[in-house]
Amino acid sequence: MEFIKLKQVSKEYSRKKVLEDVNLVIEEGDILGVVGESGSGKTTLLSLIAGFIEPTEGEVTYFSRIHQQERNLNRNIHQVKKHIGFTPQHNSFYPKLTVKENLLHFGRLYGLKDKTLLDNITGLLSLVRLMEHQNKLAGHLSGGMQKRLDISCSLIHKPKILVLDEPTADLDPLLRKDILNLLQEANKQGITIVLASHDLENVEDICNKVAFVHQGKVHTQGLIDEIKKPFQSDSFTISVRGKEKERIYRYLKSTNNPQIIDLGDSLVVYPDNIQQTISGLLKIIDQERLNLHDLNFRNVPLKNIFEKITGRN
Amino acid sequence: MNSLWLLTQKNLKVLLRAKGSALVVILAPLLIILILGFIYNNSDQYGIKVGIYSSSSNGEVEAFVNLLEEDNFIIQSYPPSPAGIDSCIKDIKSGLVHTCIDLPESLNLEGNSPAEVTFHVDPTRINLVWMIQETVGSKFNLKSQQISQELAQGIIDVLSETKDQINEKKSLLETIKQHSSAASSSTASIKESLSNLDLSSPAVSYANDPTAKINSAITESLESITEAQQKLENLTGSDKDEVTTLLGRAEDDLQAASKFVSGNASGSLDSFLIQLKMGLDQAVIKLKTTSEVVSSANSNFDSLTGTLSDSVAAMNDLDNSLNEIISQLESVQTTDAKTISSPLSIRINKVSEESTYLNYLFPALLILVVMFSSLMLGTTLVMMEKNSIAFLRNFFLPLRKISFIASIYLTNLILIVIEIVIILLISLFFLPGNLSQFPALALVLFLASSIFTFLGMGLGYLFTSEETGSLASISLGSIFLFLSGLILPLEGMSGPVRQFLMFNPFIIAENLVREIFLFNTPLGDLWIDILLLAGYSLVLFLIILVAESVLHKNLVKRFRKHYHHKHHETKKTV
């Protein structure tokens, strides 16, 4: 179900267009990764999604279950805020309050009843593994714990959508993994997640959808698998050893002389006509009874796709 | 040394590039100086409102009023009835006039008591009291000097007149002198004439006064005869002899007496008479001479009498003149040197009866504490919230802006209330008996605190760094303080500026606290000022709301800047 839609949205700051003619759809249950370079307009896009700023042109809408219709997000921001969680890049809690006090504070401001709030806190603390540290001052927590607390603060009211700006920036790989797992857990609990990141591997790991932002425009958006499809058919990897590898290498070279990268136990092949090359290759393997260990159409990294799409190499 | 200069350069750059800091650090002092300089650049005007009361209205009072008006004192006259001075004192308490001058019926002195002028002043405005004493007092000194001059001139006039009279009557003394001289020479002449008179008695010896002898002899004869007669009665033989003897003896004696009377011998009656005649002759001559001298003296005495009469007349004239001079001198009523030198005595009467300076200073101190605490707290709390890392999250809370503003205001108010309660409790120790005024005081302090809190919050929203905000709040507080009359009297400013500054919330709040705390004025009489403070609070609250909206736009900018800055740094690191 479409949850938030950006319709031909443009945003200007001091007459300078930061975003131009953006159309974006966020559906319930999505984990949308907003990918782009620094200054491409990611934060502005997130701010528009979260209702933090209003578009200069176009409209941001949300689907109201009560009204069973799309409604302008900015005009109804007060109602929408209850359903949005926002985690900026830097931590956003009170360092002088304890973990629990922070959660209680924000939860109460969201109007949660004490029982619900305490249940939410218990659930969140166990989810983010801060139960033991609930009475520690937030400022005294480690970087990873602080990030988890920050996300907890955004989740305390059980929002329908969680918007995160660079949630894994400045974190070491282990902590990054930790945070990504946390987001996946949250998503499993029915929270739609939108996150901006320039770490495409992370996006690829947890997001089902991606939007490439470049120079103020959304170039591509959609399911990652769908986006990858056209890029996946231009190469394959074949795992073979010894003489068999030499035979296959010679055969491949005898065809249209494709680009072949020797990785030792495997060869990465970039043929001109992949179907013709593979069918020819399978014939030789069958005829000569060669021992083929593995044949994979290569998983093209999202980074490469992004670079291709945005024209960067 | 180089590093020191580099660090200094860096500090200056950082300071100047933070626009708010630069503005406050550099421009604020200049602005303060400019404002104060503009306001106090005034030498000839006094905004002192002087209430004049005199139990009788006369030309002297008007002359004095004119003297004050020459220096642009604003004069408010009160009717010459007992209610007039009470009304004037009430106006001091209300701040409508700064001093009441209770003038005596007349400024002209009668007698040696100086005319007493009473200044009624509000001792809570200590600096104003001094100013009034200085400025209005100088006018009185001028008047006093004028009266003193008049008194001295009166004395000098009388003395001058006396001198003229004395000069004029000096010829009388000359006349008296001449007359006296003439009388003296006449007297000398008489004296000489009299002293030349021979009044010695003639050299007649009366030692051998024959009369006595005659008398004695005759007496003895008579006795003898008597005795003889007695004997003759009882006559005996012997007795006859004896009578004869006695009679013979009487005869002798009588003969002797006869000789003495008629004889030529010395000591006889005859010679005696001759001598006596001669003596009488001499006496006649002398008496003649004496008669002549007396006659001469008599004529001299006539002349002397005339001279003395003239002298008496001159002296009478002189006596009159002297009486006149005395009465003239007596017409000078003020003769006490102290009164002549200070004919007007000034008495300062405090309209408040408090005994210590703490009472007078307490309203100002209270508002001062409230003002600086509220300004600083307001700024700090907004800064704390604004610069808190949690600030951005607050935007996503389903709360209205007013809630955040109200929460900061309420926090501030709680802290100020605690502070005020402590101050008031301490004040009870020093100034007991003011407990009943606390509810009214609390209302005023609540309003004052609200105004200054909102102002502090406004500064907090306006400035980005906490240091700059604090500096700005201190600067603003200082301006309020400077323009409150607590340090420099407002009355030294020009009229329009002074009128404008009457709207200074510090002044309004301080006046209210003074009215309530010192004069026990009921709140009903102060409703205009209270409404004004409430109005300020409301307007400032609305301004804060607008400021918060502007801040939100600024916040988006800051958020973007912060984000890109961070992002840029991260990329650089990678």
Side-chain angles (χ1 to χ4, degrees), chain A residues 13 38-39 42-43 47 50-53 78 81-82 86 88-95 106 109-110 150 153-154 165-166 198, chain B residues 384-385 388-400 404 552 555-557 559-560 562-564 566-568 570-571 574:
Chain A
Y13 288 119
S38 177
K42 293 193 302 290
T43 305
S47 301
F52 185 52
I53 54 174
H78 199 64
K81 273 179 180 177
K82 287 179 188 169
F86 187 85
Q89 184 178 348
H90 56 273
N91 292 328
S92 187
F93 50 72
Y94 292 104
F106 290 113
L109 290 178
Y110 274 110
D150 200 30
C153 289
S154 305
D165 192 4
E166 302 281 2
H198 56 268
Chain B
M384 267 173 61
E385 189 60 38
S388 158
I389 57 170
F391 186 56
L392 194 65
R393 186 173 297 287
N394 287 337
F395 170 79
F396 294 97
L397 293 170
L399 300 173
R400 297 192 180 280
F404 291 103
H552 176 68
L555 181 69
V556 176
K557 268 189 189 171
F559 174 68
R560 286 182 62 236
H562 177 78
Y563 174 79
H564 288 304
K566 272 268 201 183
H567 197 80
H568 191 62
T570 313
K571 279 198 88 181
V574 172

Side-chain angles (χ1 to χ4, degrees), chain B residues 137-280:
Chain B
S138 70
K139 289 286 124 191
F140 264 95
N141 289 339
L142 203 64
K143 183 69 188 171
S144 178
Q145 200 179 348
Q146 193 184 330
I147 294 170
S148 182
Q149 277 174 356
E150 282 170 9
L151 286 171
Q153 190 59 51
I155 292 169
I156 288 165
D157 288 348
V158 168
L159 289 175
S160 174
E161 209 171 317
T162 307
K163 185 189 161 196
D164 290 346
Q165 280 185 332
I166 289 170
N167 277 336
E168 193 185 328
K169 300 297 175 184
K170 201 178 167 187
S171 59
L172 284 174
L173 278 175
E174 196 58 38
T175 309
I176 292 167
K177 196 176 152 190
Q178 283 170 2
H179 287 169
S180 296
S181 180
S184 175
S185 54
S186 293
T187 310
S189 167
I190 291 164
K191 185 187 170 192
E192 195 182 350
S193 301
L194 290 175
S195 64
N196 288 335
L197 283 178
D198 182 10
L199 297 176
S200 60
S201 58
V204 180
S205 175
Y206 299 104
N208 296 320
D209 186 357
T211 313
K213 285 177 183 173
I214 294 166
N215 280 340
S216 171
I218 292 168
T219 304
E220 279 178 13
S221 298
L222 286 172
E223 283 174 353
S224 295
I225 293 166
T226 306
E227 197 177 344
Q229 285 171 342
Q230 286 171 350
K231 294 279 187 172
L232 283 175
E233 284 176 8
N234 300 317
L235 202 55
T236 64
S238 61
D239 290 332
K240 277 183 180 177
D241 295 338
E242 201 171 335
V243 171
T244 309
T245 313
L246 286 169
L247 288 172
R249 227 185 264 179
E251 191 186 11
D252 290 343
D253 286 340
L254 288 171
Q255 280 178 346
S258 175
K259 279 181 185 175
F260 181 72
V261 171
S262 60
N264 296 324
S266 170
S268 67
L269 185 60
D270 199 32
S271 66
F272 177 73
L273 288 173
I274 290 165
Q275 279 181 352
L276 193 63
K277 189 179 175 290
M278 284 170 67
L280 284 173

Side-chain angles (χ1 to χ4, degrees), chain B residues 29-150:
Chain B
L30 294 177
L31 200 67
I32 292 172
I33 293 290
L34 186 73
I35 292 170
L36 293 181
F38 169 70
I39 287 170
Y40 283 101
N41 185 20
N42 177 46
S43 61
D44 59 347
Q45 295 220 30
Y46 295 106
I48 299 175
K49 289 182 199 161
V50 180
I52 299 283
Y53 169 79
S54 177
S55 52
S56 69
S57 181
N58 53 49
E60 292 160 15
V61 173
E62 279 172 23
F64 179 68
V65 168
N66 292 338
L67 190 68
L68 289 176
E69 277 176 337
E70 278 173 16
D71 274 344
N72 293 322
F73 287 104
I74 300 159
I75 305 296
Q76 167 84 43
S77 294
Y78 290 85
S81 66
I85 189 67
D86 293 338
S87 168
C88 191
I89 289 170
K90 197 181 167 192
D91 284 351
I92 293 180
K93 291 177 181 176
S94 310
L96 296 174
V97 293
H98 297 117
T99 182
C100 277
I101 301 176
D102 188 353
L103 292 170
E105 283 188 22
S106 170
L107 291 176
N108 281 347
L109 296 190
E110 289 175 2
N112 281 325
S113 301
E116 191 176 78
V117 178
T118 307
F119 276 57
H120 298 275
V121 291
D122 179 359
T124 58
R125 301 180 175 198
I126 293 164
N127 56 359
L128 188 60
V129 170
W130 289 117
M131 191 176 171
I132 288 168
Q133 279 180 248
E134 282 290 314
T135 53
V136 183
S138 70
K139 289 286 124 191
F140 264 95
N141 289 339
L142 203 64
K143 183 69 188 171
S144 178
Q145 200 179 348
Q146 193 184 330
I147 294 170
S148 182
Q149 277 174 356
E150 282 170 9

Side-chain angles (χ1 to χ4, degrees), chain A residues 7-20:
Chain A
K7 299 174 184 174
Q8 294 179 313
V9 166
S10 296
K11 180 67 186 175
E12 285 180 10
Y13 288 119
S14 311
R15 295 189 178 180
K16 189 188 169 190
K17 274 208 170 160
V18 181
L19 277 179
E20 193 176 354

